[in-house]
């Protein structure tokens, strides 16, 4: 590994520059156009990554801009899959800099996608390149798969699997270290209801763009005058809710503030839609908005919905109100549940539907079952050894509410790229990755690849 480490260090500046260019592409999913199923910018991000890999000397493939891959070693021989993604979530609120400028400030690269998941994707590519430059012999194919729809519907992986053999084993550096061998199930539910017949007249709410993002700011336009405005501001202080009101065209504008975050980790965020709903309930709102305030509010464990559950392997169920829309046509909302390994998604959906009552129509938009790999498997053992040997840190397996491409593999785990002591900034404003973390990831991934794919002549001393 000494030669590999040397190659990695020599590529430091090139890697940073590559990541900055990748971050500079605003690869948020948009309307499909010819040759770009997830929008022109996502296609541009894939082209850029594949062209960079091709310039390094790798064999690359582009599957109609749904996904692409980079391969080395004996092609077709028991591929080791490394699954990453180039699409990013929408920018959201609260940024203090241009999210697609990729500035380097001190030891940080700041920009949307630095940690989720362009930084780890670049680290994996440069780990492969260091192994290639060092001349390490391989006994199996190593395949880096670039996905383009991870943050939305995973249509990229469905297309890739339909047009190519998916590796049996591998990992996805799209979560945290040491190893996530258990991923909770995912349940996405759409809610629809007619508008309220009486109570506070809410004219419009439009919060959130993705079910897997916890909104940091939520606004509503309500019918009211200066007296109601004063009342709202008094109630906010009494109820310790971060809500303000001000006159606006057509009524009063309420602004509720929370803490932006990822739906898988609601304990470190605060849903602004929930804050807004609690204020609207205090003001006398009725109908479906009151139901959501009663059944969810700022809860994130599903308790009032009757869905709360947990197990020792994967922890507790989480619930996120990711999208909230309301106007004269009624309510539209999307709930994101992450449920434990031993829970039943269908039963949770039935319980939630019953709790919401007959006036709200609830339908299941998507469901993914939990994913688990035995902690003593050869894959997990080799990855934990690589992590420990590069960092000296303890070997352990953990569970997550996040869903990664690892579950697309028969035997796949999430491996990196976030270290336990680091701030979890995925999907948040001013998302960043430290240069030290970036380089450490390259070394860990390189060691893991050599351990899992190197032939008998390759050593990892």
């Amino acid at each position: 590994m000494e030669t590999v480490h040397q190659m990695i260090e020599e590529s430091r500046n090139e890697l940073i520059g590559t990541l900055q260019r990748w971050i500079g592409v605003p690869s948020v999913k948009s309307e499909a156009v010819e040759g770009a199923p997830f929008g022109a910018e996502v296609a541009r991000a894939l082209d850029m990554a594949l062209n960079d890999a091709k310039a390094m000397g790798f064999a690359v493939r582009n599957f109609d801009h749904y996904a692409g891959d980079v391969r080395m070693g004996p092609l077709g021989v028991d591929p080791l899959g490394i699954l990453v993604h180039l699409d990013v979530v929408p920018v959201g609120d609260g940024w203090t800099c241009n999210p697609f400028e990729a500035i380097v400030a001190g030891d940080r690269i700041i920009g949307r996608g630095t940690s989720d998941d362009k930084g780890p994707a670049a680290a994996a590519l440069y780990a492969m390149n260091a192994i290639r430059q060092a001349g390490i012999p391989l006994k199996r194919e190593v395949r880096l798969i670039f996905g383009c729809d991870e943050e939305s519907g995973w249509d990229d992986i469905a297309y890739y699997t339909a047009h190519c053999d998916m590796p049996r084993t591998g990992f996805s550096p799209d979560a945290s270290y040491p190893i996530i061998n258990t991923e909770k199930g995912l349940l996405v539910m759409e809610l629809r209801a007619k508008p309220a017949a009486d109570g506070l007249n809410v004219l419009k709410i439009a919060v959130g763009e993705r079910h897997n993002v916890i909104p940091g700011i939520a606004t509503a336009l309500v019918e009211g005058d200066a007296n109601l405005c004063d009342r709202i501001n008094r109630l906010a202080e009494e109820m310790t809710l971060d809500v303000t009101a001000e006159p606006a065209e057509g009524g009063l504008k309420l602004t509720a503030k929370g803490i932006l975050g990822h739906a898988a980790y609601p304990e470190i965020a605060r849903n602004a839609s929930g804050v807004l709903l609690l204020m609207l309930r205090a003001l006398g709102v009725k109908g479906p908005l009151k139901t959501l305030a009663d059944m969810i509010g700022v809860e994130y464990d599903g308790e009032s919905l009757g869905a709360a559950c947990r197990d020792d392997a994967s922890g507790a169920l989480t619930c996120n109100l990711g999208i909230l829309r309301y106007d004269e046509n009624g309510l539209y909302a999307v709930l994101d549940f992450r449920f434990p390994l031993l829970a039943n998604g269908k039963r949770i959906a039935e319980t939630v539907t019953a709790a919401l009552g007959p006036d709200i129509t609830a339908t299941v938009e998507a469901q993914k079952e939990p994913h688990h790999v035995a902690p003593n498997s050869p894959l997990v053992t080799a990855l934990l050894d690589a992590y420990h040997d590069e960092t000296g840190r303890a070997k352990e397996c953990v569970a997550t509410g996040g869903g990664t491409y690892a579950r697309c593999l028969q035997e796949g785990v999430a491996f990196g790229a976030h270290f336990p002591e680091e701030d979890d900034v995925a999907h948040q404003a001013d998302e960043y990755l430290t240069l030290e973390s970036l380089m450490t990831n390259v070394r860990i991934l390189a060691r893991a690849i050599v351990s899992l794919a190197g032939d008998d002549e390759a050593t990892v001393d």
Side-chain angles (χ1 to χ4, degrees):
M1 289 299 296
E2 182 178 348
T3 305
V4 175
H5 283 167
Q6 180 182 342
M7 297 296 102
I8 291 171
E9 189 56 37
E10 290 178 358
S11 69
R12 178 187 179 94
N13 291 336
E14 181 186 337
L15 167 57
I16 293 171
T18 296
L19 179 54
Q20 286 180 299
R21 286 191 295 104
W22 290 10
I23 296 299
V25 180
S27 50
V28 179
K29 184 177 182 179
S30 61
E31 184 177 352
V33 297
E34 185 176 357
F38 309 118
E41 294 295 354
V42 177
R44 184 159 72 96
L46 179 60
D47 285 339
M48 183 178 291
L50 292 178
N51 287 337
D52 287 342
K54 187 176 181 179
M56 292 175 174
F58 290 112
V60 304
R61 297 184 294 185
N62 186 336
F63 292 86
D64 300 322
H65 288 104
Y66 278 84
D69 62 26
V70 178
R71 298 176 296 160
M72 72 175 185
L75 303 186
V77 179
D78 187 21
L80 170 67
I82 306 171
L83 284 72
V84 297
H85 65 92
L86 299 173
D87 60 311
V88 298
V89 296
V91 171
D93 304 297
W95 285 79
T96 62
C97 61
N98 184 334
F100 298 112
E101 188 177 349
I103 65 170
V104 176
D107 187 43
R108 296 181 177 183
I109 303 179
I110 304 173
R112 176 59 84 217
T114 47
S115 68
D116 183 22
D117 189 40
K118 291 180 179 179
L125 177 61
Y126 275 79
M128 289 173 62
N129 195 43
I131 292 169
R132 185 187 63 82
Q133 290 178 318
I136 303 295
L138 300 175
K139 64 183 178 184
R140 58 191 294 202
E141 177 188 325
V142 177
R143 186 185 303 178
L144 177 62
I145 300 173
F146 291 121
C148 295
D149 189 37
E150 195 274 346
E151 298 291 3
S152 297
W154 288 30
D155 289 342
D156 53 347
I157 294 300
Y159 191 90
Y160 184 87
T161 303
H163 293 79
C164 179
D165 63 304
M166 177 63 76
R168 187 185 69 84
T169 65
F171 58 90
S172 178
D174 187 23
S176 59
Y177 288 116
I179 275 183
I180 293 174
N181 69 319
T182 301
E183 296 185 7
K184 294 178 184 177
L186 171 67
L187 176 67
V188 181
M189 298 185 69
E190 288 188 347
L191 312 180
R192 297 180 186 274
K194 294 180 179 179
D198 55 4
L200 177 72
N201 187 12
V202 178
L203 303 173
K204 185 176 182 180
I205 299 175
V207 183
E209 298 179 67
R210 300 284 178 86
H211 63 80
N212 59 352
V213 176
I214 299 172
I217 296 178
T219 62
L221 181 66
V222 305
E223 187 178 79
D225 55 17
N227 290 331
L228 181 60
C229 186
D230 292 340
R231 183 185 172 206
I232 292 169
N233 292 327
R234 287 197 306 272
L235 279 172
E237 185 174 353
E238 293 171 7
M239 299 172 65
T240 62
L241 296 176
D242 194 350
V243 181
T244 57
E246 58 184 343
E249 184 177 353
L252 296 177
K253 180 183 178 182
L254 278 65
T255 301
K257 294 182 180 180
I259 301 174
L260 185 72
H262 192 297
Y265 312 106
E267 66 278 2
I268 60 174
R270 183 171 175 82
N271 195 311
S273 290
V275 175
L276 178 64
L277 287 169
L278 294 182
M279 175 56 74
L280 293 176
R281 183 178 65 181
L283 295 173
V285 78
K286 295 185 178 181
L289 291 176
K290 182 180 185 301
T291 299
L292 292 187
D294 292 342
M295 293 290 99
I296 303 175
V298 292
E299 288 182 3
Y300 57 80
D301 59 3
E303 179 68 31
S304 295
L305 289 167
C309 58
R310 64 176 300 119
D311 60 38
D312 291 340
S314 48
L317 173 144
T318 62
C319 171
N320 176 53
L321 176 59
I323 299 175
L324 179 62
R325 304 275 189 272
Y326 189 86
D327 56 25
E328 69 275 7
N329 296 315
L331 170 83
Y332 171 75
V334 182
L335 298 178
D336 176 310
F337 295 92
R338 311 295 170 109
F339 60 91
L341 184 66
L342 300 181
N344 184 293
K346 181 179 179 182
R347 187 167 299 172
I348 291 170
E350 292 171 349
T351 299
V352 170
T353 299
L356 291 172
D359 293 335
I360 296 180
T361 300
T363 57
V364 174
E365 181 187 12
Q367 182 175 334
K368 296 176 182 176
E369 295 305 312
H371 177 73
H372 178 75
V373 175
N376 61 348
S377 71
L379 172 70
V380 171
T381 300
L383 292 176
L384 285 176
D385 285 346
Y387 173 73
H388 173 76
D389 291 345
E390 283 295 335
T391 67
R393 296 167 182 253
K395 308 175 187 179
E396 62 177 337
C397 293
V398 296
T400 183
T404 73
Y405 284 149
R407 65 174 66 223
C408 301
L409 304 173
Q410 182 177 335
E411 185 183 30
V413 297
F415 183 55
H418 173 256
F419 291 95
E421 75 280 3
E422 293 178 329
D423 296 330
D424 187 352
V425 293
H427 295 192
Q428 297 190 31
D430 290 346
E431 178 183 348
Y432 71 88
L433 181 68
T434 67
L435 301 180
E436 179 183 0
S437 177
L438 177 63
M439 299 308 297
T440 303
N441 267 285
V442 182
R443 291 191 293 270
I444 292 173
L445 295 178
R447 184 177 287 271
I449 292 169
V450 172
S451 178
L452 288 166
D455 70 12
D456 295 338
E457 297 178 35
T459 63
V460 289
D461 294 335

